Amino acid sequence: MKKFRFLLLALFASSFVANAQVKITHPGPGTPERIAVLDGIRSTTQAELKIPEVQYVVNTINVTNDWAYVSVAAKRKDGKPINAKAVCAYEIHGDACITKIEAVLRNMNGTWKLEEYFGGATDLWQMGYCDKKNFPIEIFGMKRSELCPAGYGQSMPPTKK
C-alpha cells in the first residue's frame, strides 16, 4: 500500500512539474493564429514606414498562452524595396530600422494587441521583462537564467527587513 501511495504521489508531482513548463508553439504560414499575430503589428509597421501595405518575412514567431514574440523583416506587399532613408525617423544602422522588427503581443479577448515594438533594436530590450511577474521569458527563445542577471527580476530572492 505504501508503494502504491508513493507511486501516486510521484505521478502527481511529475504531472504538476510538466504542467508548470511553458509550452511554446510556432504557428505555421497561413494559419489563423499566425495571421492574427502578424496583423497585431501590421498597422504600427505601416504607420512607421509610411507604407500602405506591408508583409513580413518571419524569422521567429513564438506563442504561449496569451503572449507572442515575433522577429520579422518587413517588406512591401508589391515586392518593391523599402527605401530606408526615405522612411526612417530615427538613426539608421544599415537598413535595420526597416528590416528588423521585434515585438511582444498579448492576446486580449481574442485579439492580439501590441505590448512592445522595436524597429532595428540593437540591445537586449527583452531584459525589461525580467521584472514582469509571470511573464513567460521563454517566448524569447531563452531561459530566464540566460536573459535575466542574477538578482534581477523574478530571480531575485526576497530581501529581509
Side-chain angles (χ1 to χ4, degrees):
M1 188 68 160
K2 285 184 181 181
K3 283 184 181 180
F4 180 73
R5 283 186 194 157
F6 176 76
L7 286 173
L8 280 177
L9 182 59
L11 181 62
F12 175 78
S14 67
S15 70
F16 180 78
V17 169
N19 289 335
Q21 294 175 351
V22 176
K23 183 180 181 208
I24 306 288
T25 61
H26 315 282
T31 61
E33 186 171 35
R34 182 181 182 117
I35 292 167
V37 169
L38 294 176
D39 282 348
I41 65 171
R42 195 171 313 280
S43 64
T44 300
T45 304
Q46 290 172 172
E48 286 227 346
L49 302 180
K50 302 175 189 108
I51 296 172
E53 290 186 325
V54 68
Q55 64 184 42
Y56 301 105
V57 175
V58 175
N59 299 316
T60 305
I61 185 165
N62 295 335
V63 177
T64 183
N65 298 325
D66 293 334
W67 292 97
Y69 164 71
V70 297
S71 173
V72 297
K75 65 180 191 175
R76 290 180 184 274
K77 193 168 187 171
D78 62 9
K80 292 180 183 174
I82 297 172
N83 180 345
K85 291 181 182 171
V87 298
C88 286
Y90 42 89
E91 184 180 345
I92 297 173
H93 302 283
D95 66 351
C97 66
I98 300 302
T99 61
K100 183 182 178 195
I101 296 168
E102 293 180 77
V104 173
L105 300 97
R106 189 160 196 184
N107 192 324
M108 303 178 99
N109 299 321
T111 302
W112 287 99
K113 302 285 185 181
L114 194 57
E115 178 96 0
E116 295 235 41
Y117 179 95
F118 294 94
T122 58
D123 57 359
L124 281 175
W125 59 268
Q126 297 95 333
M127 287 180 70
Y129 284 88
C130 292
D131 284 332
K132 195 165 209 151
K133 188 176 181 176
N134 298 322
F135 181 82
I137 292 288
E138 295 82 0
I139 66 168
F140 296 129
M142 59 186 86
K143 296 177 186 172
R144 181 172 292 280
S145 61
E146 295 170 331
L147 178 64
C148 305
Y152 192 80
Q154 287 186 8
S155 60
M156 185 168 54
T159 51
K160 295 180 181 179
K161 293 184 180 181

